[in-house]
Amino acid sequence: QQPGRGLSAAVGALCRALPPRARPAPDTLRRARFDRPQASLDFWRLLYALLKQIHGGKWTESDAIDNQIRFVKSALWYHGYGRPELYRLPSDGSAGSRELLLAFSWLLHRVSLLEQLLARNRVKTGDETSVCTCEDALPNSQKSTTEMAPEYALGDRIDVRYLQWLNGRLRFQWRSLHAQHQEQCKLLHKIHLFTSGSHMDQILGHFSATETDLVRQPENYKQLLRLLDSETMQLEAYLEWKQLEPVYWQWMETVLDNMAEEGNMCKSQDAHIEKSGLSKATSCCPWADGLTGQIDRLSRDLMTLHDQLHKLVTHRKAAWCEKV
């Protein structure tokens, strides 16, 4: 009972540490552990919402499920998830909840999923801006792009005019981004200048853009307090999750063990069916003995060839990795 309570606490803390709009019920993870089809759609939507937030995209719950599944598969492939069983799942979300649980756990470990989500969804009360050095590098970058574009043209396979159009479009968007960054810095400087000496913190000395907006519209304080309370609850759940995280990974080891046992059972059943079919054939047909002997020899030859090809591929991959 004690490990069960620890697992429930770990799963609950994990769910509470996720963003509110993409927060699953703890029962969803438990149903996925037994590969229940009822949890498949919930897991596809969960992964879709989380991966959209990581990649900075906009998402709505009204998106078609096949589009969500297609995006999740492409995003997992981009991050390097190589389990082929996931990419064979149907596009209607009718099965595969345990495979999705494995993919979700892989994201937790591989890409620091919770940390990225907490950083992206942090409530910003102060002013932050990056240091921009684009103005100094503008002439050199323009010169390099205009000179390098014809050199990397691929002859008749790609039209050079299309590459020039892409180059011009990229430069235009880069200039627009640079202008917007400068405008943001100017506006922040005006706010800091006009509110200088008004802040209780004498070291800071001025209001941020959020604080200035709250002074002008005090009714927004309630919304800010709700956001801060939600973020505090997420951080507390994250701290609890870090303490109970080993319990979760022990549970995932049992999930993997069960999957391996089911895979071995399926293989043994298939082998039993094949053997029973061959025995029936030999009992019915006297000429089947020679045929089964030939099949066994071919099977051994195929296994030997498979091992040789596997060794060759491993050697080639190691050679390519050394060259890279």
Side-chain angles (χ1 to χ4, degrees):
Q1 292 180 358
Q2 187 67 26
R5 287 197 295 267
L7 177 61
S8 300
V11 173
L14 174 60
C15 294
R16 293 194 307 273
L18 293 172
R21 292 187 63 186
R23 187 171 295 166
D27 290 337
T28 303
L29 276 72
R30 299 189 186 98
R31 288 196 300 265
R33 182 250 190 277
F34 299 102
D35 203 16
R36 297 288 188 268
Q38 297 85 359
S40 299
L41 283 176
D42 294 336
F43 247 108
W44 281 119
R45 296 190 180 99
L46 170 65
L47 291 175
Y48 176 72
L50 298 180
L51 290 170
K52 272 288 187 178
Q53 292 187 43
I54 287 179
H55 291 278
K58 296 181 179 179
W59 64 280
T60 57
E61 296 180 356
S62 60
D63 291 339
I65 188 63
D66 55 343
N67 294 332
Q68 295 185 18
I69 293 175
R70 192 180 302 113
F71 172 80
V72 170
K73 289 182 178 180
S74 61
L76 287 172
W77 183 263
Y78 168 78
H79 286 290
Y81 188 73
R83 186 172 171 82
E85 286 81 359
L86 178 99
Y87 303 102
R88 301 194 192 110
L89 294 179
S91 59
D92 56 355
S94 59
S97 59
R98 187 160 52 188
E99 287 293 335
L100 297 174
L101 175 62
L102 291 178
F104 171 72
S105 302
W106 183 86
L107 286 173
L108 283 178
H109 175 71
R110 185 64 179 270
V111 302
S112 301
L113 182 65
L114 287 179
E115 289 78 2
Q116 288 196 46
L117 292 171
L118 288 173
R120 286 185 175 272
N121 297 321
R122 184 169 56 89
V123 179
K124 298 179 181 179
T125 56
D127 293 331
E128 298 177 0
T129 182
S130 59
V131 178
C132 182
T133 59
C134 302
E135 189 173 359
D136 299 333
L138 185 60
N140 295 330
S141 62
Q142 287 182 354
K143 182 179 179 181
S144 61
T145 52
T146 54
E147 291 181 354
M148 290 171 63
E151 182 180 352
Y152 290 113
L154 299 179
D156 297 334
R157 289 183 294 173
I158 297 179
D159 193 353
V160 178
R161 293 172 296 180
Y162 176 69
L163 295 177
Q164 292 175 345
W165 176 78
L166 286 178
N167 186 23
R169 184 179 179 184
L170 180 61
R171 288 171 56 189
F172 174 74
Q173 292 179 351
W174 182 76
R175 286 181 178 179
S176 301
L177 180 61
H178 174 64
Q180 292 174 5
H181 187 275
Q182 285 185 324
E183 186 67 22
Q184 180 189 14
C185 292
K186 290 179 182 178
L187 294 175
L188 288 177
H189 175 68
K190 288 183 179 180
I191 293 175
H192 298 168
L193 183 63
F194 293 155
T195 60
S196 178
S198 303
H199 205 280
M200 294 179 60
D201 189 355
Q202 298 299 324
I203 299 176
L204 186 61
H206 57 74
F207 288 164
S208 64
T210 303
E211 292 169 340
T212 305
D213 182 66
L214 290 176
V215 171
R216 296 178 59 189
Q217 301 177 5
E219 62 274 8
N220 292 338
Y221 267 110
K222 296 181 180 179
Q223 181 181 1
L224 179 62
L225 286 176
R226 285 196 298 268
L227 293 175
L228 290 174
D229 289 338
S230 177
E231 184 180 17
T232 303
M233 292 175 60
Q234 278 187 258
L235 292 174
E236 291 175 350
Y238 175 74
L239 293 176
E240 184 181 356
W241 155 254
K242 294 304 290 184
Q243 295 177 354
L244 299 172
E245 188 177 4
V247 179
Y248 178 83
W249 294 119
Q250 291 174 4
W251 177 62
M252 287 305 302
E253 288 180 359
T254 61
V255 175
L256 289 174
D257 293 339
N258 291 337
M259 292 182 69
E261 291 177 0
E262 291 180 3
N264 293 331
M265 290 177 60
C266 292
K267 290 180 180 179
S268 63
Q269 289 176 1
D270 295 339
H272 178 70
I273 292 173
E274 291 179 358
K275 288 182 179 178
S276 62
L278 289 174
S279 62
K280 289 179 181 178
T282 55
S283 62
C284 296
C285 304
W287 52 265
D289 293 333
L291 182 61
T292 54
Q294 293 178 4
I295 291 175
D296 292 337
R297 286 193 297 272
L298 288 175
S299 299
R300 288 194 295 269
D301 294 339
L302 286 175
M303 290 300 297
T304 304
L305 182 61
H306 177 269
D307 295 337
Q308 293 176 356
L309 289 175
H310 181 70
K311 292 179 181 179
L312 181 60
V313 169
T314 305
H315 178 71
R316 290 285 179 87
K317 283 184 177 180
W320 276 110
C321 288
E322 290 179 358
K323 290 182 180 181
V324 171

